[in-house]
Amino acid sequence: MSTETTEGRIEGRDAEAFLRFVERFASVLADGGWPRMPARVFVCLLAVDSGRLTAAELAEALRVSPAAISGAVRYLGQVGLISREREPGSRRDVYQVRDDVWYEAAVRKDRALTRWETSLREGIEVLGPDSPAGRRMTETLEFFEFVQGELPSLLERWRAVRDELRAKQLSDPS
């Protein structure tokens, strides 16, 4: 499966327009703190219909070296935004972004909040709850506890909305 054909198209789309979109969205993510190359790779995977490409296809689509792709997919895999699979009967890895990637990222953030809360409690104990730093730590802990308490119901509401949207798309595929 080659992403780009001799006509300069990616999955039937204008390659230049595709790349401009990837670059713009990746810049927005980079402005939000994402490393630049992982942002480009992530957006590229998000923007192809299959949601999956090999490292060579990513390098071709993004017009970068395979080495740049290697570091980016390693990072994205470590943070759980993409998965790596082996193509059956091939030695090539395929990198994939799941349709529910943001939901899964929120679930992982919930687990991270638990670890952060544990560290904050330790900091409050070390700094003293009545010190200015201890009060800041306490407020941070209370914020994280609030977010973590709200996250399950938020995710449940999202699942319901997502299911409605999917059902609507299936009934009206135009």
Side-chain angles (χ1 to χ4, degrees), residues 7 16 29 33 83 106 152 163 170:
E7 295 87 33
E16 292 301 319
L29 294 176
S83 60
D163 292 347
L170 289 174

Side-chain angles (χ1 to χ4, degrees), residues 12-47:
R13 295 177 177 95
D14 176 273
E16 292 301 319
F18 179 90
L19 193 55
R20 280 192 306 274
F21 164 73
V22 168
E23 294 299 332
R24 279 193 307 273
F25 191 17
S27 290
V28 170
L29 294 176
D31 289 346
W34 285 52
R36 182 134 183 80
M37 186 54 64
R40 292 176 73 203
V41 168
F42 180 76
V43 173
C44 187
L45 287 170
L46 202 59

Side-chain angles (χ1 to χ4, degrees), residues 87-134:
E87 282 186 329
S90 170
R91 293 183 359 196
R92 295 182 347 168
D93 290 329
V94 177
Y95 300 95
Q96 178 174 353
V97 63
R98 289 186 302 278
D99 290 341
D100 62 351
V101 66
W102 296 113
Y103 175 84
E104 292 298 324
V107 169
R108 281 189 306 281
K109 186 59 74 182
D110 187 44
R111 293 182 205 125
L113 285 170
T114 299
R115 292 190 307 273
W116 296 350
E117 290 169 5
T118 299
S119 293
L120 284 165
R121 284 187 187 88
E122 179 184 333
I124 293 165
E125 187 176 315
V126 168
L127 300 169
D130 297 325
S131 71

Side-chain angles (χ1 to χ4, degrees), residues 109-110 113 117 142-152:
K109 186 59 74 182
D110 187 44
L113 285 170
E117 290 169 5
E142 290 166 345
F143 174 78
F144 288 157
E145 288 173 336
F146 172 80
V147 169
Q148 191 169 35
E150 294 295 313
L151 199 52

